[in-house]
């Protein structure tokens, strides 16, 4: 079964919609297999967003991502990577349709409520960065 890494980002944590976002994933029929509420270390963010390290917005993104703990989760389901990306909506919350997670809970292009792995390679890398094998529930 396919797995994807989801982070509920600091803007959504501050707004108190962790539960609502988890409910949406549960209603899709996906299974939660690992979770932790934690403040991300800076070196983890450097690896997570390695492809953005030269962008002008990177220092700001890093400050945002460490401003509160995030809810880091591993979810499992059929075709889950593309299905979660679809219910997330596009990166810019202002362009995201109502009914998508970013459309309903995001604020702008940076504060967009949620991270979801982009493809299978990213999902594997993010899983390895975020979770130890003993933190993952095997049904
Ligand atoms: P994604 O999260 O939709 O995959 P990416 O392009 O991979 O989008 O960017 C990672 C994260 O970096 C975004 O979710 C957002 O928080 C932040 N970000 C992306 N582009 C911008 C920008 O132009 N300004 C500020 N933050 C950005
Ligand atoms: Mg991305």
């Amino acid at each position: 079964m396919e797995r994807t890494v989801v982070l509920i980002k600091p803007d959504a944590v501050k707004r108190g919609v962790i539960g609502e976002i988890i409910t949406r994933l549960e209603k899709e029929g996906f299974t939660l297999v690992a979770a932790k509420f934690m403040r991300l270390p800076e070196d983890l963010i450097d690896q997570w967003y390695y492809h953005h390290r030269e962008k002008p917005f990177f220092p700001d993104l890093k400050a945002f991502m460490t401003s509160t703990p995030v809810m880091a989760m591993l979810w499992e389901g059929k075709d889950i990577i593309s299905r979660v990306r679809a219910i997330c909506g596009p990166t810019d919350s202002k362009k995201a349709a109502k009914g998508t997670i970013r459309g309903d809970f995001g604020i702008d292009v940076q504060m967009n409520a949620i991270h979801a792995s982009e493809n299978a390679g990213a999902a594997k890398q993010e899983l390895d960065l975020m979770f130890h094998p003993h933190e993952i529930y095997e049904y």
Side-chain angles (χ1 to χ4, degrees):
M1 194 67 86
E2 198 172 76
R3 288 169 168 178
T4 196
V5 178
V6 171
L7 305 179
I8 300 179
K9 295 185 178 182
D11 60 303
V13 170
K14 280 187 212 147
R15 293 176 118 188
V17 292
I18 294 174
E20 287 191 58
I21 292 173
I22 289 176
T23 298
R24 290 198 182 193
L25 297 168
E26 287 178 335
K27 284 194 171 152
E28 292 292 318
F30 301 139
T31 305
L32 182 64
V33 293
K36 50 188 167 185
F37 188 57
M38 61 179 288
R39 197 179 286 262
L40 297 178
E42 294 215 356
D43 61 327
L44 188 149
I45 296 174
D46 289 340
Q47 297 174 72
W48 199 270
Y49 286 136
Y50 187 76
H51 52 295
H52 286 318
R53 70 195 178 283
E54 309 288 354
K55 305 268 171 71
F57 61 79
F58 186 69
D60 216 41
L61 175 62
K62 216 163 146 175
F64 163 61
M65 289 299 290
T66 55
S67 62
T68 71
V70 301
M71 187 69 191
M73 300 175 285
L74 185 64
W75 288 84
E76 194 171 88
K78 189 168 184 325
D79 300 324
I80 192 167
I81 297 172
S82 59
R83 287 172 63 200
V84 173
R85 290 288 293 192
I87 64 170
C88 257
T91 308
D92 187 348
S93 307
K94 293 203 175 91
K95 294 181 183 149
K98 286 289 156 207
T100 64
I101 293 172
R102 285 168 169 170
D104 293 346
F105 303 119
I107 297 163
D108 58 22
V109 69
Q110 179 183 83
M111 292 181 274
N112 56 8
I114 188 172
H115 166 88
S117 308
E118 220 157 301
N119 51 50
K124 170 79 176 89
Q125 274 180 348
E126 291 168 3
L127 186 166
D128 289 342
L129 282 172
M130 191 61 77
F131 297 104
H132 296 290
H134 71 265
E135 293 173 320
I136 300 167
Y137 192 84
E138 302 289 349
Y139 286 88

